[in-house]
Amino acid sequence: MTTPFLPFTRPSLDEATIQGVVEVLRSGWLATGPNVAQLESALSDYVGGRPVKVMTSATAALEIALLAAGIGPGDEVITPAMSFVATANVIARVGARPVFVDVDLDTRNIDLDAVERAITPATMALMPVHFAGLPVDMERLYGIADGHGLRVIEDAAHAIGSGLPGRRIGSQGDLVCFSFHPNKNMTTLEGGALVADDPAELRAIDLHRFHGLDRNADGTMEVSLPGGKANLTDVAARVGLGQLPLLDGFNDRRRELAGRYFDLLAGESRLRLPARGDASHSWHMFAPLLDLSQLKIDRAGFIALMKAQGIGVGVHYPAIHLFSHYRKLGYAEGDFPNAERIGRETVTLPLFPAMQDNDVDRVCDVLCRILAENAR
Ligand SMILES: *Cc1c(COP(=O)(O)O)cnc(C)c1O
């Protein structure tokens, strides 16, 4: 019997959710409708009662958050050089300048000392990422933002369910964006959400999300800004309604599996393990760094050897400032050493709620054997 391939992530959809989706498909109402309203209300409860708007992706949520906050040409937004590229792309897309700063090597979170040094009179907002689900130091982050009159747009794509009880990510702070892509801790197929408080901004979010359209009391229409189209379908929302009650259980299981990785990999000197965090960590992914100086193979070679043994390994992420678009803005190799080192050495090991303990054991066995066999 061959062992089935173990991907680095896989969504968990239960049968009740699949049946619920079938019912929506048969209902005759597929676009935005009652399931979207119900998901927004359930997510709002989940983040302590703050208003939540769902949309087609976190990328759309981040872009709309910037637009709703009035950020555009001439403005600077400070953001980490290590993240998924969407974080920086949305800043560029609204015409503002992404100002990169380095991250901590082990937490992978934005370096808040570097944030303070990067603030200029043009800075309008901070866009941190709760990397892999480990919350950024919120007190210090908001201390800096408040001290300089800056907005905060949290890229919480990895962080639905992160945070200690009563202090969940999204339940406090400024604009907060979640992702429900299938790789994230809960899914709506594709999808995202934006948490906001200000009534004028909530209205702007609605307009940007759906063509800028308003309906007047007499049934006629009005368009006050050229909105886009990012509304979620009821089919997708039904998936989210099935996922949300399972989320805390998913994240508990992620923490257990991550704990097992720490136990089994503690003695592996060719790996640098990520910061362990505490119960606030939702372990969106487990991504150690490979010490390539101790190995005869490169990262691609390591990934290929793992794959040949039936184990999927991801790369999250290349440093953003080294992509050609961002080099054109003046960034270069050497600007952010930690982001660059993570970009070169990071490997994402399998971690998802349906994994068994012995899946972690197998990953660690195979990985340690490959590292030993290819030691320099
Ligand atoms: C996945 C991800 C996004 C984008 O999420 P989508 O829902 O796919 O648009 C943004 N930022 C980070 C850090 C992500 O990992």
Side-chain angles (χ1 to χ4, degrees):
M1 201 190 82
T2 53
T3 329
F5 187 79
L6 182 69
F8 71 78
T9 190
R10 187 165 63 206
S12 291
L13 286 177
D14 64 347
E15 220 26 64
T17 302
I18 293 169
Q19 278 313 311
V21 167
V22 171
E23 281 163 29
V24 176
L25 291 173
R26 292 205 167 110
S27 73
W29 194 283
L30 304 181
T32 304
N35 283 281
V36 164
Q38 219 183 312
L39 179 60
E40 288 187 332
S41 140
L43 285 166
S44 176
D45 288 346
Y46 191 75
V47 296
R50 298 181 71 198
V52 176
K53 302 286 183 180
V54 294
M55 45 199 89
T56 45
S57 68
T59 306
L62 289 162
E63 185 170 336
I64 289 176
L66 288 162
L67 293 169
I71 292 164
D75 298 333
E76 294 178 355
V77 179
I78 300 175
T79 196
M82 169 49 52
S83 179
F84 181 53
V85 69
T87 316
N89 281 351
V90 292
I91 299 169
R93 280 173 64 79
V94 302
R97 180 178 172 85
V99 173
F100 294 116
V101 297
D102 211 348
V103 298
D104 180 85
L105 198 55
D106 297 316
T107 67
R108 318 281 159 84
N109 276 335
I110 193 164
D111 176 341
L112 292 170
D113 292 326
V115 167
E116 287 193 304
R117 291 193 298 271
I119 294 170
T120 74
T123 307
M124 290 290 290
L126 309 179
M127 193 184 279
V129 179
H130 304 292
F131 200 94
L134 178 64
V136 169
D137 178 345
M138 297 290 275
E139 214 164 303
R140 174 125 193 255
L141 170 71
Y142 278 92
I144 295 169
D146 294 345
H148 292 85
L150 305 175
R151 301 299 302 268
V152 179
I153 296 154
E154 296 175 38
D155 181 342
H158 300 174
I160 183 92
S162 295
L164 293 173
R167 315 196 50 172
R168 219 171 238 161
I169 294 298
S171 68
Q172 51 181 340
D174 195 357
L175 299 164
V176 182
C177 300
F178 295 113
S179 173
F180 307 133
H181 180 275
N183 284 1
K184 304 294 161 65
N185 291 30
M186 69 167 261
T187 188
T188 60
L189 313 179
E190 295 281 0
L194 169 47
V195 188
D197 299 305
D198 180 71
E201 286 184 3
L202 286 162
R203 183 176 139 71
I205 292 163
D206 281 338
L207 294 175
H208 284 293
R209 183 174 59 170
F210 199 75
H211 310 292
L213 265 176
D214 264 325
R215 264 173 218 287
N216 298 320
D218 65 359
T220 59
M221 291 186 210
E222 173 59 328
V223 174
S224 52
L225 62 83
K229 178 115 171 23
N231 57 303
L232 198 67
T233 68
D234 248 29
V235 179
R238 179 61 187 84
V239 175
L241 284 168
Q243 291 270 288
L244 187 57
L246 306 177
L247 175 64
D248 290 346
F250 288 163
N251 287 346
D252 287 344
R253 182 63 185 147
R254 286 175 177 277
R255 275 187 286 274
E256 275 174 19
L257 292 164
R260 197 168 181 89
Y261 272 125
F262 276 105
D263 292 346
L264 292 174
L265 296 175
E268 179 47 81
S269 65
R270 300 174 190 97
L271 285 183
R272 186 178 176 113
L273 299 183
R276 190 147 186 175
D278 56 16
S280 70
H281 200 325
S282 63
W283 288 104
H284 167 57
M285 57 186 167
F286 185 81
L289 304 183
L290 266 187
D291 186 352
L292 295 170
S293 72
Q294 296 191 54
L295 297 172
K296 290 184 295 196
I297 47 174
D298 61 9
R299 178 172 59 185
F302 169 79
I303 292 173
L305 289 169
M306 292 289 283
K307 191 174 175 197
Q309 296 298 315
I311 296 170
V313 173
V315 172
H316 303 94
Y317 305 92
I320 300 176
H321 66 289
L322 299 181
F323 287 123
S324 62
H325 176 74
Y326 295 97
R327 286 180 187 265
K328 275 188 264 166
L329 299 183
Y331 292 103
E333 202 102 35
D335 287 349
F336 308 109
N338 289 345
E340 290 167 24
R341 178 166 165 200
I342 295 162
R344 279 192 308 272
E345 299 186 349
T346 188
V347 285
T348 305
L349 303 182
L351 179 62
F352 53 89
M355 268 174 75
Q356 304 297 310
D357 288 356
N358 63 15
D359 290 323
V360 175
D361 300 356
R362 181 162 74 92
V363 172
C364 295
D365 282 350
V366 170
L367 177 149
C368 291
R369 184 159 47 77
I370 288 173
L371 295 185
E373 286 170 1
N374 294 281
R376 206 186 269 287

